[in-house]
Amino acid sequence: MITVSNVTGLGKAVFGLKLKLSIFFHFLPTLWKREITFKRFILLMKRLLLFVSRMEHNKFVKLGDKTRLGLYIPGFPSSAFYTACQKFSQFEEKMPCTTVLISITSACPYHCTHCYQKLDRGKDTKIDTLIQVVRKLQDLGIAFFNIEGGEPFLAYERLQQICSSIDSRSEIWINSTGAGMSKEKLVELKAQNVTAIMFSLHSSVPDIFNKFMGKESAWETMEEGVKMCHEAELGVAFNTCLMREDFYNGRFEEIMEVAKDFKACLIQIIKPKPAGAWLEKADIEFTHKDIEYIKKKVNRYNLHTELADYPSISAQIIEEDKSVFGCTAGGTDRFYINAKGDLQPCEFLNISFGNINVDNFEDIYQTMRSLFAWGGECFLCESCAPEIHRLYKENGLTTLPLTPELSSKIYSSWERGRKTDLYERLERMR
């Protein structure tokens, strides 16, 4: 089993100092070689320090010999970590995106009630096309690849080919239910830059979990998958999609106990989104009071000494807050490619800028990024959902995301809100 330990208290402060010194000495040769001016070098350090400061609310976790500051930040020290840092050395143009979520297959034996891919019907992208795009993305600065399906282990040959095409400049995590998994496959993937497997954990009660996933054996499959990951010395992480009441009725705490018992390094709390199967769902609203209450709970687990042994929590409600990052979709810092090749700003925003099977990737990628010039305060997946649903119904569609033509009706008139403080300050450092 891979060693997992949380970095808290004095250890976190010491690590922070080591991190800053390491970043300084890593980039110092660029100054000596005159690859960067002294002014730009100082600005680069300031940008990186500002970014790291936004991670202080996290519980850092050491996975093997590398430490994670957050879910989408590659472990330190590593080539992938410095790929992510390189983002902040871009001064002439828009800073590059560093994270991508890629679905490699729509094949899945489950019927999750909340599935954001529920209506993503279509043929899986040709593997050669996907590999070509993945290699381009590495050259463009992607430091973190999050690979998923459907269930990626049901298309293992495709999964293995994608992972083997990604070199050490990037880190790989895989989202899985455990279906189709084997220890032999995991050992092979570990040798190809895969760091961790993230499972779904939407309830701590097996029968309720099975009902949510739409399969009676879902819990048993997940449990066996976790065991195999530990045997293969891969990190184990979870994501959980909790409704408002789950933070008041004890379910959140129960899930944290289970994640701890499974020896998880991290758990991601996903805010319910009106997308896919839930595109027209209206009862998933969180009030400002709810959000503040949830933040306090998450911060207690991440920052309080008595809960230091629990997994680190990455909560969308906190990460997407305007005081932290805001919405970084559309290639500001992350975006999504679905199984049939649609380029989407994120998995929860059911619009498409084009398809990599028929459109030039560079063209549709740059078109998307031009509309997401900075991190915004508005969550488009929530504000645009009613209009996306209206266009879906009015045009008699049976699949999502919307076509590029219909999608343009969404983004030609949307309101992204103000630029978040972080990106406002980063942009001023030029």
Side-chain angles (χ1 to χ4, degrees):
M1 182 184 300
I2 192 169
T3 303
V4 178
S5 59
N6 293 324
V7 184
T8 58
L10 180 60
K12 187 176 180 180
V14 172
F15 170 78
L17 179 60
K18 177 184 176 182
L19 176 71
K20 292 168 187 176
L21 287 172
S22 297
I23 289 173
F24 175 81
F25 284 110
H26 176 83
F27 285 100
L28 191 57
T30 63
L31 182 61
W32 290 339
K33 297 174 183 177
R34 297 185 179 181
E35 296 172 358
I36 188 171
T37 65
F38 180 75
K39 178 183 176 182
R40 288 275 173 88
F41 178 78
I42 296 300
L43 290 174
L44 170 59
M45 293 299 107
K46 286 184 175 181
R47 279 181 166 189
L48 285 165
L49 287 173
L50 175 60
F51 180 76
V52 169
S53 73
R54 298 304 168 100
M55 299 286 102
E56 290 176 356
H57 63 275
N58 286 347
K59 178 187 289 181
F60 298 168
V61 56
K62 190 170 185 181
L63 188 59
D65 61 351
K66 296 179 176 60
T67 303
R68 304 193 74 78
L69 282 70
L71 171 57
Y72 297 116
I73 302 173
F76 168 85
S78 67
S79 296
F81 175 82
Y82 285 113
T83 298
C85 289
Q86 197 67 37
K87 171 189 180 85
F88 301 99
S89 67
Q90 176 57 261
F91 293 96
E92 303 299 336
E93 300 175 4
K94 175 177 165 63
M95 290 182 289
C97 176
T98 58
T99 299
V100 62
L101 173 64
I102 299 178
S103 175
I104 63 164
T105 181
S106 59
C108 185
Y110 293 86
H111 305 281
C112 302
T113 56
H114 70 306
C115 184
Y116 58 79
Q117 300 176 3
K118 193 81 170 181
L119 299 173
D120 289 12
R121 303 185 181 100
K123 188 177 180 180
D124 289 348
T125 301
K126 292 180 180 178
I127 190 63
D128 291 343
T129 300
L130 204 52
I131 288 173
Q132 186 179 39
V133 169
V134 162
R135 287 174 173 161
K136 288 179 180 178
L137 288 172
Q138 271 212 292
D139 292 338
L140 289 170
I142 295 295
F144 188 89
F145 283 87
N146 194 187
I147 310 297
E148 64 167 18
E151 171 47 63
F153 281 91
L154 294 183
Y156 180 70
E157 185 177 347
R158 289 171 63 85
L159 175 61
Q160 193 276 331
Q161 286 180 275
I162 290 295
C163 291
S164 65
S165 68
I166 300 170
D167 61 44
S168 63
R169 290 174 294 169
S170 309
E171 184 179 305
I172 307 169
W173 279 36
I174 297 171
N175 295 351
S176 175
T177 61
M181 190 179 287
S182 71
K183 182 181 175 182
E184 291 72 26
K185 292 174 182 177
L186 292 172
V187 169
E188 183 175 32
L189 293 172
K190 180 179 171 63
Q192 295 173 343
N193 266 352
V194 175
T195 299
I197 308 295
M198 179 174 276
F199 298 86
S200 293
L201 184 65
H202 305 302
S203 173
S204 61
V205 181
D207 287 345
I208 297 176
F209 177 84
N210 291 341
K211 184 178 180 180
F212 188 93
M213 301 290 283
K215 196 171 181 67
E216 290 184 0
S217 59
W219 181 275
E220 181 182 355
T221 300
M222 178 270 290
E223 198 170 29
E224 183 61 27
V226 169
K227 180 182 177 182
M228 285 188 286
C229 286
H230 286 318
E231 291 174 349
E233 297 189 337
L234 279 167
V236 169
F238 291 104
N239 63 61
T240 183
C241 183
L242 298 178
M243 303 299 284
R244 173 193 173 277
E245 59 268 22
D246 294 328
F247 293 97
Y248 294 91
N249 62 18
R251 178 172 287 184
F252 166 65
E253 287 81 3
E254 291 169 359
I255 284 177
M256 290 304 298
E257 291 293 338
V258 172
K260 180 185 176 185
D261 290 343
F262 276 131
K263 297 179 173 57
C265 64
L266 183 146
I267 182 163
Q268 180 188 31
I269 300 177
I270 300 171
K271 185 174 181 285
K273 303 283 190 177
W278 280 0
L279 183 59
E280 57 182 318
K281 195 171 178 63
D283 59 345
I284 55 176
E285 291 294 323
F286 287 68
T287 67
H288 177 73
K289 185 177 179 181
D290 293 331
I291 290 173
E292 292 306 310
Y293 177 74
I294 295 167
K295 284 180 182 178
K296 287 180 180 178
K297 284 206 166 200
V298 171
N299 287 331
R300 182 166 171 264
Y301 272 92
N302 274 348
L303 301 175
H304 287 209
T305 306
E306 70 270 20
L307 298 171
D309 291 337
Y310 285 81
S312 173
I313 302 175
S314 174
Q316 286 184 344
I317 279 175
I318 292 179
E319 303 292 339
E320 294 177 349
D321 188 90
K322 64 182 181 181
S323 66
V324 184
F325 299 116
C327 174
T328 62
T332 298
D333 205 49
R334 66 187 304 272
F335 71 101
Y336 176 55
I337 300 175
N338 71 14
K340 58 184 178 180
D342 287 301
L343 195 70
Q344 297 180 220
C346 89
E347 62 271 34
F348 302 117
L349 185 54
N350 297 140
I351 65 172
S352 171
F353 281 88
N355 189 289
I356 63 173
N357 292 294
V358 295
D359 301 307
N360 180 272
F361 169 74
E362 287 86 351
D363 291 342
I364 58 177
Y365 181 63
Q366 292 306 324
T367 298
M368 177 183 70
R369 294 199 81 219
S370 69
L371 291 166
F372 292 85
W374 29 261
E377 293 184 0
C378 179
F379 304 120
L380 297 170
C381 55
E382 297 177 3
S383 64
C384 294
E387 182 66 6
I388 291 173
H389 183 249
R390 184 185 69 79
L391 289 171
Y392 172 78
K393 286 291 188 180
E394 284 185 359
N395 288 275
L397 303 181
T398 57
T399 67
L400 285 174
L402 297 180
T403 64
E405 293 73 26
L406 289 175
S407 296
S408 67
K409 295 184 178 182
I410 300 292
Y411 62 73
S412 63
S413 60
W414 66 24
E415 177 53 57
R416 286 210 61 213
R418 293 170 51 189
K419 188 183 299 185
T420 54
D421 175 70
L422 173 64
Y423 286 91
E424 180 77 50
R425 293 172 67 181
L426 288 171
E427 287 297 318
R428 287 203 303 263
M429 295 179 187
R430 289 185 176 274

